[in-house]
Amino acid sequence: MDLFEYNLEQNQSYKPLAERMRPNNLDEFFGQKHLLAPGKVLRRLIENDRLTNMILQGPPSSGKTSLATIISKMTNAEFIKLNGVNLGIADLREAIKSSKENLRLYSKRTILFIDEIHAMKSNVQEALLPPSEDGTFILIGATTESVMHDIIPPLVSRCKIYSFTHLEPEDHKQIIQLSLQNQERGLADKYTISDEALDYLVDITNGDVRNSLIALENAAYSLHGRNNIELEHIQEAVEQRINGLSQTDFYDIVSAFCKSLRGSNSDGAIYWMARLLYSGVDPMYIARRMVVHATEDVGMANPAALQMALAAKEAVQFVGMPECRMALAQAAIFICESPKSNSAYKAINAALETVKNAKPFDVPVHLRDGTKTYVNPIDNPDTQLEYFPSEMKYHKFYKPQNSGVEAKIYNKHMIKQQRSQ
């Protein structure tokens, strides 16, 4: 580090408040007590400088990068920081080369921290496998996305996954108060904040400390001679609630939406749908999910559900947002309030499993193309034909359920079964 870099490092005034207030040590770190409270395994590994490969997964601004910065100050290893967004093979090779030289020349370990590790291409992730396995470096990855969906399984298997959570409101409030009071890195005790404004700021930013500190700084600097931050100042600084979805949130909310459709809970389905729409999820994706559930979960109990779902899809294409939200809501409620039957779903799955595991039986002669022995059952209702291969005579794939419209089919099958006994 030369003199100019040193002066830049010492001068914090140009940095945003959120960056200045990053914790310098574990005692300044708020939240994640399940991982970093005194006596917890991860804290002991950091304090004893005995780290192993790990991935820190959690929502934005929950402390992943801050913890990595603390580790860089507490460890005796060299610390290399990269970002998965623009990380290529050449950059990784340079890091591997540097790590090997540290071991060979100085017997010193290297910690390779990769922020946004989920953004790396799969072939670059694969290049991490040998050096992270043989100890060339200790890998620390940070991601807001799903480890299982966005990181290749071999890399996941080489790392311990530590799950971060949103900050608790009280921890969040303490960070804001410290930011107001800190003389060196904060707002130097020049401003105060009302309880109402503080509660609102913590609530509307949903545990995202970075965004709350950005809003706090904007509100403070807009006071024009006053020094008390009121609710109206925070409302001006944060115009709308921060409800963005990470990939993990997306999968969880889609799962909740689908389970609400299946569980006939209209309020739940509408709420989770609203979360998806508000966060900018393609309404066509939601329509596709409802087409699936109209056939998988409602099915024969109310065949009109499929028509309703397809009509919602057409509405999405025809009018788009925001108006198509009404058609989506109508279809969701129709699916929820319909009787349920998954008999068609079970029937095709059972048939596919049989086709997969059994040899292909011949088509009966009277069913083959061009046959002279076929009798049309509509014109000859008393004719008995076998529609199965003789070897599968006793197989039964479709089992109607006593629900909705399908109840009539169920009763017909029950009568036929009783007659055959």
Side-chain angles (χ1 to χ4, degrees):
M1 179 184 297
D2 60 26
L3 179 61
F4 298 105
E5 289 177 332
Y6 176 79
N7 289 336
L8 188 62
E9 184 68 24
Q10 294 301 111
N11 181 16
Q12 298 280 319
S13 60
Y14 71 94
K15 294 181 179 179
L17 177 63
E19 186 64 27
R20 299 199 306 268
M21 287 304 298
R22 283 193 185 277
N24 288 320
N25 53 60
L26 290 175
D27 292 331
E28 292 183 1
F29 191 96
F30 286 88
Q32 315 312 327
K33 294 181 178 66
H34 63 294
L35 300 175
L36 296 168
K40 293 294 184 180
V41 171
L42 180 55
R43 183 173 185 130
R44 293 203 307 269
L45 289 174
I46 296 170
E47 291 173 337
N48 296 332
D49 197 6
R50 301 295 296 176
L51 294 169
T52 57
N53 298 325
M54 68 180 75
I55 296 176
L56 311 177
Q57 188 275 332
S61 196
S62 55
K64 302 181 296 296
T65 304
S66 293
L67 180 60
T69 303
I70 291 171
I71 289 172
S72 72
K73 297 174 180 178
M74 294 182 64
T75 181
N76 291 320
E78 287 293 313
F79 192 86
I80 299 175
K81 181 178 179 180
L82 300 173
N83 192 294
V85 173
N86 53 15
L87 181 59
I89 291 289
D91 304 304
L92 193 53
R93 284 175 180 162
E94 187 64 30
I96 294 171
K97 179 182 177 182
S98 176
S99 301
K100 288 182 176 178
E101 287 181 352
N102 286 330
L103 283 173
R104 182 173 61 87
L105 299 176
Y106 311 109
S107 299
K108 196 171 189 178
R109 298 179 308 154
T110 298
I111 293 176
L112 177 62
F113 173 63
I114 303 179
D115 207 358
E116 310 295 344
I117 193 171
H118 62 272
M120 296 170 61
K121 295 180 180 178
S122 59
N123 66 313
V124 184
Q125 290 189 36
E126 289 171 357
L128 289 170
L129 300 179
S132 63
E133 186 170 32
D134 64 20
T136 299
F137 53 64
I138 299 166
L139 175 65
I140 300 179
T143 179
T144 57
E145 307 302 341
S146 169
V147 171
M148 300 307 169
H149 287 94
D150 296 287
I151 300 177
I152 60 173
L155 187 56
V156 173
S157 72
R158 288 162 171 79
C159 299
K160 168 66 177 174
I161 310 301
Y162 293 103
S163 296
F164 281 46
T165 60
H166 285 292
L167 255 65
E168 294 294 330
E170 287 308 311
D171 288 331
H172 197 160
K173 289 179 181 179
Q174 280 190 274
I175 293 173
I176 293 172
Q177 294 287 14
L178 284 174
S179 301
L180 289 167
Q181 299 161 7
N182 190 286
Q183 295 289 334
E184 296 178 359
R185 294 181 287 147
L187 297 177
D189 216 10
K190 296 178 181 178
Y191 305 94
T192 58
I193 187 169
S194 69
D195 290 341
E196 188 179 21
L198 180 60
D199 290 340
Y200 180 82
L201 179 57
V202 169
D203 175 63
I204 200 168
T205 53
N206 294 337
D208 190 325
V209 176
R210 183 184 298 107
N211 274 286
S212 64
L213 293 185
I214 290 171
L216 181 71
E217 190 172 25
N218 289 339
Y221 292 156
S222 67
L223 290 181
H224 302 299
R226 292 171 292 174
N227 62 2
N228 189 48
I229 301 170
E230 301 289 352
L231 174 61
E232 62 190 65
H233 304 131
I234 296 298
Q235 288 175 330
E236 290 176 2
V238 188
E239 293 184 357
Q240 65 181 24
R241 182 173 295 277
I242 299 167
N243 269 343
L245 297 183
S246 70
Q247 199 73 1
T248 303
D249 293 333
F250 171 75
Y251 289 121
D252 287 344
I253 292 175
V254 168
S255 175
F257 173 63
C258 293
K259 289 179 172 65
S260 298
L261 292 175
R262 183 175 296 129
S264 300
N265 191 303
S266 294
D267 291 327
I270 292 298
Y271 171 74
W272 297 120
M273 179 193 289
R275 287 281 301 274
L276 293 169
L277 290 173
Y278 186 83
S279 299
V281 172
D282 184 359
M284 186 58 73
Y285 177 86
I286 298 172
R288 290 191 195 103
R289 296 313 310 162
M290 288 197 290
V291 169
V292 171
H293 283 276
T295 54
E296 179 180 342
D297 297 328
V298 178
M300 296 295 293
N302 187 1
L306 178 57
Q307 297 173 346
M308 182 69 76
L310 289 171
K313 177 189 77 74
E314 291 295 318
V316 170
Q317 293 174 318
F318 187 60
V319 300
M321 283 290 286
E323 289 87 352
C324 73
R325 73 190 189 281
M326 295 173 284
L328 292 173
Q330 183 179 346
I333 293 170
F334 193 91
I335 291 170
C336 284
E337 300 301 329
S338 291
K340 302 295 189 292
S341 171
N342 59 1
S343 59
Y345 169 78
K346 289 180 177 179
I348 188 58
N349 283 351
L352 285 170
E353 192 66 21
T354 298
V355 170
K356 175 183 174 182
N357 296 310
K359 70 176 185 178
F361 298 109
D362 293 333
V363 176
V365 173
H366 57 276
L367 298 181
R368 294 178 187 177
D369 184 39
T371 179
K372 303 297 184 183
T373 58
Y374 175 69
V375 178
N376 190 322
I378 298 174
D379 297 328
N380 302 275
D382 295 328
T383 302
Q384 298 296 318
L385 293 176
E386 289 295 334
Y387 293 93
F388 251 8
S390 58
E391 298 90 341
M392 298 182 62
K393 183 177 180 179
Y394 298 105
H395 274 66
K396 192 171 183 61
F397 298 125
Y398 174 54
K399 299 177 181 178
Q401 296 179 13
N402 190 16
S403 177
V405 174
E406 196 177 23
K408 294 181 180 180
I409 303 174
Y410 173 84
N411 291 330
K412 184 182 76 171
H413 278 238
M414 290 298 294
I415 293 171
K416 184 178 180 181
Q417 182 178 340
Q418 290 170 359
R419 287 175 177 173
S420 63
Q421 290 177 348

